Amino acid sequence: METKRNDMTPHEAAAALRWLAEMGADEIIGEEAVNRLAAAASAGAPVLAAKAAMPAPVVAETRHSHAPATPSQAAACGSLAEIAAALDAFDACPLKKTATRLCYADGNPAARVMLVGEAPDRDEDIQGKPFAGRSGQLLDRMLAAIGLSRTADDRENAVFITNLIFWRPPGNRTPTEAETQMCLPFLLRTIELQKPDVIVCLGVTPAHRLTGRSDGMLKMRGRWTTANISGRNIPLLPTLHPAFLLRQPAQKRLAWRDLLTLRQALDAH
Ligand code: URA
């Protein structure tokens, strides 16, 4: 196969690689580069050829080519498996184009407790399940300390875990409002179908989206509030995100208090 000569200097090549890493292309997933954003992806294109094509179509599609929200697709789903299938087939969200795979949910669908995080990170993008990386390992240890687990079979000790956003934003950037609005109906339908007794929000963003409040995390964490989902008021407890706790280990004592608050509520009902 004829290879096109690359006339980049080593300095330019290093800058281009840094740019790709910042955009979230930080994992080699195949021998051949595939530009998934090009209309007709050409297998065998040089890796760095993706550079010029990447950001522009994503932004253009967000603004122009798709109907914004997705309530009807989500509402049509009658089970969590159908939501996963609908998300898999859902091409309107630009994040899907840059993500490796869908990251929808993990844990026991019968669980009393639903955890809602923010968005998949690198490990979740690769494995396709929420909280699969270091923050997930910390989360699992925190849950175990109050007798909960994503692998438990009985609903009393189990948790179900999902996120506000179902595909990794490139370079872990903040999702746009349009991207969030596209994912939100699927999260709301997930809550309707999973019917948790309580929701625990990991981080302030899902807490804001599900409660309509805009208070800061330090005001909201550890205090019960409610999410009104289709006329049902579900107790919701915001707590600190495990990734924040990895960066600020001294704050783990606050998270521990929140976990005890959760444990008490579960024991009382
Ligand atoms: N952070 C989140 O909010 N969710 C994940 O799934 C992983 C990291």
Side-chain angles (χ1 to χ4, degrees):
M1 189 178 70
E2 194 188 330
T3 320
K4 225 178 133 197
R5 202 177 80 79
N6 194 330
D7 51 8
M8 280 186 173
T9 65
H11 182 74
E12 285 169 341
L17 280 172
R18 266 198 306 279
W19 181 90
L20 282 171
E22 280 163 17
M23 294 303 292
D26 51 10
E27 190 77 9
I28 297 168
I29 56 171
E31 293 294 318
E32 300 285 321
V34 180
N35 178 0
R36 298 181 193 282
L37 296 176
S42 57
V47 178
L48 298 176
K51 177 180 175 180
M54 265 175 120
V58 173
V59 173
E61 285 182 13
T62 306
R63 293 194 184 139
H64 306 300
S65 40
H66 296 291
T70 47
S72 59
Q73 278 113 315
C77 296
S79 67
L80 299 177
E82 281 180 28
I83 297 183
L87 283 168
D88 230 2
F90 182 67
D91 289 326
C93 185
L95 294 175
K96 184 176 182 179
K97 297 191 172 65
T98 49
T100 307
R101 66 182 66 205
L102 169 68
C103 173
Y104 172 50
D106 194 25
N108 184 340
R112 293 182 70 193
V113 180
M114 177 189 279
L115 305 180
V116 183
E118 293 177 349
D121 200 339
R122 181 173 171 275
D123 292 305
E124 291 75 23
D125 181 56
I126 294 166
Q127 296 188 40
K129 65 175 191 179
F131 288 96
R134 271 187 74 220
S135 60
Q137 288 159 14
L138 174 59
L139 177 64
D140 287 340
R141 289 198 299 276
M142 290 162 60
L143 293 170
I146 55 163
L148 298 178
S149 161
R150 66 171 104 190
T151 56
D153 290 332
D154 58 311
R155 70 181 297 272
E156 293 296 324
N157 299 327
V159 297
F160 182 81
I161 311 181
T162 188
N163 277 314
L164 178 61
I165 303 290
F166 302 115
W167 295 274
R168 182 194 186 192
N172 295 348
R173 67 160 169 75
T174 304
T176 65
E177 182 60 24
E179 290 159 353
T180 304
Q181 288 299 334
M182 284 181 194
C183 291
L184 196 53
F186 292 102
L187 173 61
L188 297 178
R189 187 71 183 135
T190 299
I191 297 172
E192 280 174 4
L193 291 169
Q194 203 267 321
K195 301 188 176 62
D197 288 353
V198 301
I199 297 172
V200 176
C201 284
L202 304 166
V204 82
T205 316
H208 285 169
R209 293 291 171 166
L210 292 178
T211 63
R213 291 174 55 177
S214 55
D215 299 309
M217 184 41 120
L218 290 182
K219 183 157 181 199
M220 289 186 80
R221 62 143 282 275
R223 296 182 192 180
W224 289 102
T225 176
T226 50
N228 186 290
I229 311 288
S230 305
R232 184 181 161 224
N233 276 331
I234 306 175
L236 183 150
L237 186 70
T239 190
L240 301 168
H241 194 287
F244 171 76
L245 297 175
L246 287 173
R247 293 193 301 273
Q248 308 262 338
Q251 305 299 328
K252 283 183 187 167
R253 63 191 175 84
L254 296 180
W256 175 239
R257 279 191 217 157
D258 302 348
L259 288 170
L260 293 180
T261 301
L262 172 63
R263 185 68 262 169
Q264 269 171 7
L266 293 173
D267 290 344
H269 298 285

